Amino acid sequence: MARNKEAMIFLIDVGPSMHSVLPEVGKLIFAKSDLVGIVLFGTKDTNNELEKEVGGYEHVFVLRDIGVVDEADLETLNLPRGTFPGDFLDAIVVGMDMLIKKFNPKEKLKKCLHLITNAQCATKEPYEGTKVDQAVTIAHQMNAQGISLNCLIFREKLWGVENQQVIDENDKLLNQFSQQAVANIVHVDSTTSLLGAIKARRINPVTIFRGDLELSSTMKIKVWVYKKTAEEKFPTLKKYSDEAPTRDKYATHEVKVDFEYKIMEDPDKIVPPEQRIKGYRYGPQVVPISASEWEAAKVKLKKSVKLLGFTKASNISRHYYMKDVNIFIPEPGNTKAIIAVSALARAMQEKNRSAILRCVWREGQGKVVVGVLTPNLSSVDKIPDSFYFNVLPFAEDVREFQFPSLSKFSSCQPDEKQQEAADDFVKMLDLTSSNRKELLQPEYTPNPVLAQFYRFLDLKSKDPGSDIPELDNSLKKIAEPDFDILSRNKSITNHFEKQFELKENSKKRKLSRHAWRGKPSVSDEKEVGKEGEVPETQSASLVKALPSTNVEKIGDLNPVQDFEAMMKRRDSSKWTSKAIKEMKSYIIYLLENSFEGHSYQKAIECLIALREGCILEQEPREFNDFLLDMCKKWSKTDLADFLSLMPSKNITLISKIEAADSDLTEAAAKNFPATFNESPD
């Protein structure tokens, strides 16, 4: 039998109070191997074996006996509207009876009842004992038969005080199942959460590690590690062939792809696998590495989970977390492990500490994982404490991008009214409802892209010519802003729009003067207008001649423009340091090859650009050290007159006010070049 195969019976309340959500309940999706039965309660008619055998169990209708899911069954899943209040205890007993009669108790098969109701209708009085006694008896029987119960309780709104007593009584009955460790109860209050709670896929937990959590060489705790969250990948679309005969119903339409490797000099000769080898690009060349060499070069690690140490929880920022979340639980049935994990988790919670672990999940694994362990204390007596584990980045994984503060740009600062309008707009879109319950909770919010894909796939399987359907209302609440919230707060959105009015910029953008300050010849000077502006006809041709690719080095024609372009590149962290290094070299080249100061102006412009770039990228020491080195090197040479020009052009050292990483005060920076004279050699 398939590993993930399970028998499940859906117990669906179709009574009058559930009519509004039945369309969402009808969107159940099953796996191919699932054995599924469907029981409705709250119906006008009665159809179940217990009613025929012993009587009672009225208004419980077996819509589908337990069997493997097929397309015909899915097409008939149109839930009727019942006319009677539903009794969920009767439905549970009928479903349990179906599973007991269908399967042998020794058969290795997961058996589960899925109850979908709002539990707002009263249950019948039992013939003997109380309702609580009846619920406990049913729970014990389910435990003995290995049957679990998943309860999905939908309550959009309460009916009133009279119905509250019934609701409280039903919650008490359902809690009896939970206390006997046979039930998982989930409450939802919207059709969107209901759609997410009805899981399209049931994933069996599989451990990624079973072994010791090593606190020291002599202190170890037996733990199991599972994935807590994992990204649901989009279904893989396979190649399909329509060459098979249309009447062949057993045709797989599978497409097989074979690759052949040939020599360029002799295209007719095929290279066999034993004559092929992988190559890895290293700079301009390709280095061949055989499979045996690659295997020998791998770092083979032993399976282990070891504690490296503890740190304050505040030291681990949320944005450090990488990949999926894992959960560490004590080894099931191991009392010592349960007590040890609980003691450690509660001590870490009390001291506000997190643990740093080094993990190798499998023997011979090629990479090691370093992560943070945070305590997860349980509020349920029968569920032990555990830990959450998040992978932390190595130095190569961190992307340190420096961005200038908006406080440096006065034009970007909002006034008091604009700030107030923005605050009101953000508060308006708060997803926390009036009762402080979060909307669109991740556990019950389905991925609208996947849900829409599966819906379209279902339609396409029935009718190949089907069009893509529109999003239904439940998915629109996830993918689009809530219309009710926007309509209720129309005045806030209008006020926000008025405070941030958009205006068209009528000014024509002029080309930067720096772009044309290369080495103009005497003949070119006649064609250039005042202030170095370029006529429109010439500027158009110049713009057209500019390269559109990313700048990779500082050229002699437009050094400032090239420098700024390299500093703006974000495809690699190397461009900032490379731009600063090349600009320094270019400034030195200009000055050392200057004749009677003809390149001083260009060197000044480059220095100004270098200073601004170092401030924006928070690299003040690069500029300050460069400026001090220039003074030290040229203060007693012919270039001393260039150094005297810098204060008049406001070229000073970068202070702490301009860049936080600088170690100079504002006064010391402005006192340059006196600062150089005071600094030791």
Side-chain angles (χ1 to χ4, degrees), residues 156-408:
E156 193 168 17
K157 60 176 72 174
L158 298 180
W159 283 3
V161 179
E162 295 181 2
N163 208 46
Q164 187 63 47
Q165 294 180 353
V166 176
I167 291 173
D168 293 341
E169 182 184 54
N170 289 340
D171 287 345
K172 184 178 180 180
L173 295 176
L174 290 171
N175 286 335
Q176 298 302 318
F177 293 94
S178 179
Q179 291 172 8
Q180 299 301 323
V182 297
N184 176 41
I185 302 175
V186 174
H187 291 264
V188 296
D189 57 4
S190 67
T191 55
T192 301
S193 299
L194 178 65
L195 186 62
I198 301 175
K199 303 296 184 183
R201 247 186 5 119
R202 286 157 294 281
I203 301 174
N204 291 330
V206 179
T207 56
I208 62 174
F209 176 85
R210 295 187 186 189
D212 295 328
L213 169 57
E214 301 181 26
L215 305 181
S216 68
S217 58
T218 58
M219 187 182 298
K220 302 175 183 180
I221 305 174
K222 293 289 184 182
V223 294
W224 288 11
V225 184
Y226 293 90
K227 279 189 176 294
K228 182 64 176 174
T229 63
E231 180 186 358
E232 184 71 7
K233 302 292 185 181
F234 202 81
T236 303
L237 300 179
K238 297 182 179 179
K239 298 183 185 298
Y240 176 90
S241 172
D242 59 357
E243 295 296 326
T246 55
R247 295 182 180 180
D248 185 2
K249 62 179 181 179
Y250 298 106
T252 61
H253 298 275
E254 184 180 357
V255 176
K256 294 184 178 180
V257 181
D258 292 328
F259 292 92
E260 291 183 348
Y261 295 85
K262 299 181 179 180
I263 302 174
M264 294 182 63
E265 292 78 7
D266 187 4
D268 295 331
K269 184 178 180 181
I270 299 175
V271 181
E274 61 271 11
Q275 294 182 12
R276 299 198 300 260
I277 189 172
K278 288 186 177 181
Y280 294 87
R281 189 170 295 279
Y282 187 74
Q285 60 183 338
V286 176
V287 180
I289 300 179
S290 65
S292 58
E293 290 174 328
W294 179 248
E295 190 65 26
K298 286 183 178 179
V299 178
K300 296 181 180 179
L301 305 168
K302 292 185 178 180
K303 175 183 175 181
S304 64
V305 173
K306 296 183 178 181
L307 173 70
L308 299 182
F310 295 94
T311 184
K312 290 183 179 179
S314 57
N315 290 338
I316 309 296
S317 301
R318 177 65 182 81
H319 65 268
Y320 288 162
Y321 293 172
M322 300 175 64
K323 300 184 179 180
D324 305 323
V325 182
N326 297 331
I327 183 169
F328 278 60
I329 66 169
E331 184 180 50
N334 189 331
T335 305
K336 291 183 178 180
I338 294 173
I339 295 174
V341 167
S342 179
L344 182 60
R346 293 176 184 272
M348 289 169 59
Q349 182 79 8
E350 182 181 348
K351 298 295 184 181
N352 195 26
R353 291 291 190 274
S354 295
I356 306 299
L357 301 185
R358 171 193 180 274
C359 304
V360 180
W361 304 124
R362 297 182 304 276
E363 190 71 30
Q365 183 175 310
K367 61 180 179 179
V368 63
V369 173
V370 173
V372 58
L373 205 65
T374 54
N376 174 40
L377 305 186
S378 173
S379 58
V380 181
D381 293 339
K382 295 187 178 181
I383 299 178
D385 297 332
S386 56
F387 293 102
Y388 288 138
F389 178 82
N390 287 277
V391 178
L392 294 177
F394 290 105
E396 293 83 359
D397 304 321
V398 178
R399 301 291 183 268
E400 290 290 353
F401 294 130
Q402 299 290 339
F403 301 98
S405 173
L406 292 177
S407 60
K408 295 181 179 294

